[in-house]
Amino acid sequence: MNALLQMLSYHFMQRALLVGVLVSLCAALLGVPLVLKRYSMIGDGLSHVGFGALAIASALHLAPLAVTVPVVAVAAVLLLRLSRNSRINGDAAIALISSSALAVGIVSVSVTTGMNTEVSSYMFGSILALSRSDALLSALLSAAVLALYLLFYPRIFAVTFDESFSRATGVRAGAYNSLIAVLTAVTVVLGMRMMGALLISSLIIFPALSAMRLCRSFRGVVSCAAALSVGCFLAGVTASYFLETPAGASVVLADLAAFAVCALLGRRRKGR
Amino acid sequence: MAILSCENLRFAYEGVTVLEDVQFSLNQGDYLCVVGENGSGKSTLIRGLLGLKRPDGGSIRYGEGLKQTEIGYLPQQTGIQRDFPASVYEVALSGCLGSLGRRLRFGAAERERALMNLERMGIEELKDRSYQALSGGQQQRVLLARALCATQKLLLLDEPVTGLDPIATGELYNLIKLVNLCDNITVIMVSHDIHEAVRYATHILHLGQRQLFFGTAAAYKESSLARRFLGGNRL
Ligand SMILES: Nc1ncnc2c1ncn2[C@@H]1O[C@H](COP(=O)(O)OP(=O)(O)OP(=O)(O)O)[C@@H](O)[C@H]1O
Ligand SMILES: [Mg+2]
């Protein structure tokens, strides 16, 4: 108990927990439509683009978030277009873009600072990465993502469930797809510093998949995913503090464990 | 006054015309069946009427204060995945989206309308069930309830009975006819089942890359086209 209180007394821990909880919430909420629309790959692609942008920003000594957020947001809309275009192979195009962005990032880091802890902290995340101003901006942005998602919830449901029907009732489906993509981009960038570029997409995908094993309504899946995501984040970070394991990977393992439990429970229920 | 009139309508995909010379008009309360072989342009016409596909010539005019976004629609192939988690009530409610206007959330009026339409389809007791776990016939009823939430005036149905057994098919046809008669909702239905079509519909539109016939069901029965389409059997 005392150890827990001590953990909470560190400023960097407070910042990390605040931002982490908000980002996990956003990731889980956005993850549900992304997974259902078969856009999981986009989250993964965005994290790699984010890594590239982050590396270049730090090589040029620019403010990391201010550069990365807009770059990744543009990439999000682009990736969405690519994956919807049936004439070119969407999957392959996304894979190409994401590995190219990763390569650009690695080269630019190794040219400027050399392959060092910096790279590994980008790739695998670091709980110490957030400065005070970063934390403030992250909290504000993720609050905005949450607010937009909740405001447009009925439309997001309709566009996710049946796009052509919602188009016919006058919903500008393309605009909402782009909205989801941009919100995802912001979330990916915010979560990347802490979780790491290679691990952030699991924050988006795992809670949605786990919740889909358990719940049968959209609202149920969304709320369950949000709760699971925050719970796993807190569990993972706490474990990483005491076991001295990397935070990002610990959170992903917590998510994996939750998924296994949900899958078992879901199968049990179906069996009856 | 006509609720819908089409003039010289033409549709093309990438420059290739797939449907032309479409010219007909409907009054409130009419029941139109669109028939024709596979690839004759039936779904294309429906998508055009909904504004999902822009005509490459001619015009579509809506009357009686009907806006294009106030049409109820039941698609031929839904983009809905098998594993989509959604309750029956959530699906029906999403049909009310068009009446939301600038508002962000559904109000009591929309919630009531969703429940009322589920009741109309006789599935109000399924409202908390998961959509994916329903039978094909039940799913079609849910989608019909959703379409009814979207409209007071015009329903577009693209082969609504595909994959249903004969009993479920008959029930769905009866429900649609009931909505047409009781609520005076205009119905446009694409159908392959020409015998049922002439039984329920007031008007028939026969397509084959172009408009081959438009008129009342009674006139269609007497036409040589119907006889040929049915392979010699008289109706
Ligand atoms: N997205 C598309 N791109 C290119 N051509 C298309 C597209 N959709 C339809 N077509 C073509 O337009 C023609 C009419 O298609 P449509 O889907 O309207 O036929 P249909 O009458 O609904 O057929 P079915 O009875 O099989 O549903 C077909 O020749 C088809 O190949
Ligand atoms: Mg068709």
Side-chain angles (χ1 to χ4, degrees):
Chain A
M1 194 62 219
N2 264 339
L4 260 184
L5 282 179
Q6 196 192 9
M7 170 181 113
L8 292 175
S9 70
Y10 291 118
H11 282 296
F12 77 88
M13 267 320 245
Q14 292 168 358
R15 281 203 295 265
L17 286 176
L18 171 72
V19 173
V21 164
L22 285 170
V23 168
S24 318
L25 259 180
C26 294
L29 294 182
L30 290 163
V32 175
L34 287 174
V35 166
L36 287 171
K37 287 174 85 83
R38 306 287 186 264
Y39 287 163
S40 313
M41 273 302 287
I42 291 183
D44 203 48
L46 288 181
S47 60
H48 293 134
V49 173
F51 172 80
L54 198 59
I56 289 181
S58 78
L60 301 176
H61 302 291
L62 298 169
L65 281 184
V67 174
T68 318
V69 169
V71 169
V72 179
V74 170
V77 177
L78 208 79
L79 288 182
L80 193 72
R81 290 269 151 80
L82 275 180
S83 68
R84 299 174 64 78
N85 193 332
S86 50
R87 233 171 298 173
I88 46 175
N89 200 333
D91 287 10
I94 291 176
L96 281 186
I97 290 184
S98 59
S99 51
S100 309
L102 199 60
V104 167
I106 292 174
V107 167
S108 81
V109 174
S110 67
V111 164
T112 49
T113 57
M115 294 292 278
N116 52 15
T117 45
E118 196 112 333
V119 181
S120 99
S121 100
Y122 287 168
M123 293 256 211
F124 304 112
S126 155
I127 202 102
L128 302 166
L130 289 172
S131 70
R132 247 192 90 126
S133 61
D134 271 6
L136 195 67
L137 189 59
S138 301
L140 283 177
L141 277 178
S142 41
V145 169
L146 277 179
L148 277 174
Y149 186 92
L150 294 177
L151 281 179
F152 290 113
Y153 173 83
R155 288 166 171 89
I156 288 177
F157 170 76
V159 170
T160 312
F161 183 66
D162 188 347
E163 195 166 318
S164 62
F165 180 88
S166 54
R167 261 180 219 278
T169 54
V171 175
R172 298 212 312 282
Y176 288 99
N177 280 331
S178 306
L179 176 72
I180 292 176
V182 169
L183 295 183
T184 308
V186 174
T187 307
V188 162
V189 173
L190 297 183
M192 211 171 63
R193 305 296 298 283
M194 204 185 320
M195 294 289 298
L198 295 181
L199 300 173
I200 177 70
S201 60
S202 59
L203 208 62
I204 293 175
I205 297 166
F206 261 127
L209 281 184
S210 309
M212 278 162 66
R213 309 280 133 179
L214 288 185
C215 305
R216 293 283 169 259
S217 73
F218 192 74
R219 183 180 286 260
V221 169
V222 167
S223 351
C224 178
L228 276 174
S229 180
V230 172
C232 290
F233 173 76
L234 292 176
V237 166
T238 311
S240 88
Y241 176 83
F242 288 111
L243 304 176
E244 295 179 24
T245 48
S250 314
V251 173
V252 174
L253 286 183
D255 272 309
L256 178 63
F259 176 74
V261 171
C262 291
L264 274 180
L265 287 177
R267 176 166 297 182
R268 193 112 166 264
R269 213 166 58 170
K270 219 176 239 169
R272 257 186 298 160
Chain B
M1 206 203 119
I3 190 167
L4 167 70
S5 53
C6 300
E7 293 269 341
N8 262 324
L9 217 48
R10 188 174 74 83
F11 292 100
Y13 289 101
E14 284 140 31
V16 182
T17 298
V18 296
L19 182 64
E20 57 191 339
D21 290 339
V22 178
Q23 187 138 340
F24 68 93
S25 76
L26 291 178
N27 291 316
Q28 181 82 54
D30 284 349
Y31 187 143
L32 174 73
C33 256
V34 183
V35 298
E37 286 161 26
N38 291 127
S40 54
K42 305 180 296 293
S43 298
T44 303
L45 174 66
I46 296 288
R47 294 173 56 77
L49 295 179
L50 282 165
L52 296 175
K53 172 151 181 60
R54 192 189 290 276
D56 295 85
S59 69
I60 304 170
R61 209 161 300 130
Y62 293 97
E64 313 242 1
L66 178 70
K67 290 197 220 96
Q68 194 164 46
T69 54
E70 291 173 352
I71 301 174
Y73 172 43
L74 202 141
Q76 176 176 19
Q77 275 162 343
T78 52
I80 304 164
Q81 303 119 13
R82 293 287 316 143
D83 60 346
F84 199 102
S87 71
V88 165
Y89 175 68
E90 284 177 317
V91 174
L93 189 62
S94 73
C96 298
L97 211 61
S99 57
L100 217 49
R102 287 182 180 283
R103 278 180 303 141
L104 290 168
R105 327 227 96 215
F106 292 117
E110 281 93 15
R111 279 194 263 275
E112 211 165 285
R113 195 154 90 230
L115 285 178
M116 196 259 291
N117 282 317
L118 285 176
E119 206 170 308
R120 250 209 269 190
M121 294 296 108
I123 48 171
E124 71 272 32
E125 74 279 7
L126 299 181
K127 90 180 168 59
D128 294 318
R129 288 275 297 278
S130 139
Y131 173 79
Q132 54 173 318
L134 301 181
S135 74
Q138 289 170 327
Q139 286 187 341
Q140 285 305 79
R141 286 185 191 212
V142 177
L143 295 185
L144 193 54
R146 175 181 71 161
L148 284 169
C149 283
T151 192
Q152 323 271 8
K153 293 188 179 117
L154 176 59
L155 265 185
L156 297 189
L157 312 163
D158 198 346
E159 300 193 25
V161 298
T162 314
L164 301 190
D165 64 45
I167 294 174
T169 300
E171 284 173 355
L172 200 69
Y173 278 138
N174 284 335
L175 278 173
I176 294 167
K177 188 66 188 170
L178 208 66
V179 171
N180 170 244
L181 289 177
C182 300
D183 303 283
N184 205 31
I185 291 179
T186 311
V187 173
I188 300 181
M189 178 162 84
V190 173
S191 174
H192 272 299
D193 190 346
I194 193 145
H195 293 274
E196 295 296 319
V198 288
R199 211 150 73 85
Y200 287 98
T202 59
H203 293 74
I204 301 284
L205 174 66
H206 191 141
L207 301 178
Q209 269 91 61
R210 43 192 297 282
Q211 180 170 322
L212 301 176
F213 178 91
F214 173 74
T216 61
Y220 183 70
K221 270 193 240 182
E222 300 306 318
S223 71
S224 57
L225 186 68
R227 243 167 284 153
R228 224 175 325 125
F229 199 52
L230 289 165
N233 309 355
R234 270 201 65 128
L235 287 168

